[in-house]
Amino acid sequence: LGKHDEKGIMELFSSTVSSILPVGLLISAVLLTFATPVSEFLCGEPSISHYTVEYLLAYSVGVAPMLLYLAMNVFIETAGKPRLAAGIIIATNVFNLIFDLLFVGALGWGIAGSAWATVLSYVFGFVLVLFLGVIKMPVFKFHLLPMGTFFRNVGQNLKDGFPVALGNICIGLLVFLLNTIILNAQGAMGMNIWSICLQVLMLSLVVINGTVGCMYAVGGVICGEEDWKGLRLFELRVMKVLMLSLTAQQVQVTTRFVSI
């Protein structure tokens, strides 16, 4: 976008969508087929693992729309429509909350109802992204690409996305280890309490995750324009926001720990 390379934009967008869809379908097939073994690996406690199976069986249906929704929303944000991207995220989460109240609260579907609410929210978000963002932006055009071009772009995507993927893997391993320790030490009740605390912690990470995502979207365009002075000023501002967010989060955690 920064270089105004319309052909490059088309190739990147097309290869991203073309690679995400089969990957999402493959993950769905694996989860549907091996829901029980995956559940037993994640949690050996019988009183909890059967809930995991219920959740995975429903959640697996929404993997492809979830990945497409997240990826296309980044394209919209990068194209200079951050408010639209943020509005779609907010609308998707409100939709999820409404269906949680309906499926879990009103209809009593339990954990499966929560999973279906999440799946439907991803479908809803994907529809919003597609019709409010991608279709209305002529810069994003989908074409079937030659295999060489497709694999070259996918390889570049994997290379560029490796730092984020590695970070997510580390967070996943950390949460898994904490889950195992708490479950073995405190049992199912301790696990329920920890899950609530984890959600509270994740809310505090919204600002940090949003800021980091902005670095890729805005920073990439600035690099394409070769505005190195602007890139430095942008990085300094981002670091200030991150440091303030981390400080506020540390104060919040310390205050709660002292009160407990």
Side-chain angles (χ1 to χ4, degrees), residues 42-114:
L42 293 175
C43 175
E45 174 63 42
S47 62
I48 298 178
S49 59
H50 75 278
Y51 290 116
T52 310
V53 174
E54 288 184 37
Y55 192 91
L56 285 177
L57 288 174
Y59 184 84
S60 60
V61 178
V63 174
M66 174 193 69
L67 295 177
L68 288 170
Y69 151 69
L70 293 174
M72 288 187 177
N73 214 35
V74 173
F75 275 103
I76 294 174
E77 183 182 68
T78 309
K81 299 289 184 180
R83 292 185 178 181
L84 175 60
I88 291 174
I89 293 173
I90 293 171
T92 301
N93 282 277
V94 170
F95 190 86
N96 191 357
L97 177 61
I98 292 173
F99 272 83
D100 269 329
L101 294 172
L102 175 62
F103 293 159
V104 180
L107 299 178
W109 289 3
I111 193 70
S114 176

Side-chain angles (χ1 to χ4, degrees), residues 41-43 171-181:
F41 170 76
L42 293 175
C43 175
I171 292 175
L173 289 174
L174 176 62
V175 173
F176 175 72
L177 292 174
L178 287 172
N179 287 353
T180 304
I181 293 170

Side-chain angles (χ1 to χ4, degrees), residues 9 16 46 92 111 142 237:
I9 296 170
T16 300
T92 301
I111 193 70
F142 180 82
R237 170 164 278 188

Side-chain angles (χ1 to χ4, degrees), residues 159-215:
K159 179 182 177 182
D160 293 340
F162 179 75
V164 177
L166 182 61
N168 287 331
I169 290 172
C170 290
I171 292 175
L173 289 174
L174 176 62
V175 173
F176 175 72
L177 292 174
L178 287 172
N179 287 353
T180 304
I181 293 170
I182 293 172
L183 186 61
N184 292 335
Q186 299 295 327
M189 181 56 67
M191 198 67 205
N192 290 333
I193 296 173
W194 158 240
S195 66
I196 296 173
C197 294
L198 179 61
Q199 292 306 314
V200 174
L201 176 63
M202 296 306 292
L203 287 174
S204 66
L205 294 176
V206 169
V207 175
I208 296 175
N209 292 336
T211 304
V212 173
C214 175
M215 290 180 67

Side-chain angles (χ1 to χ4, degrees), residues 65 69 73 88 91-92 95 120-130:
Y69 151 69
N73 214 35
I88 291 174
T92 301
F95 190 86
L120 289 177
S121 71
Y122 287 146
V123 174
F124 175 74
F126 170 67
V127 171
L128 289 181
V129 168
L130 187 62

Side-chain angles (χ1 to χ4, degrees), residues 124-141:
F124 175 74
F126 170 67
V127 171
L128 289 181
V129 168
L130 187 62
F131 288 98
L132 296 181
V134 173
I135 291 179
K136 289 189 175 182
M137 293 184 183
V139 68
F140 298 131
K141 300 175 182 178

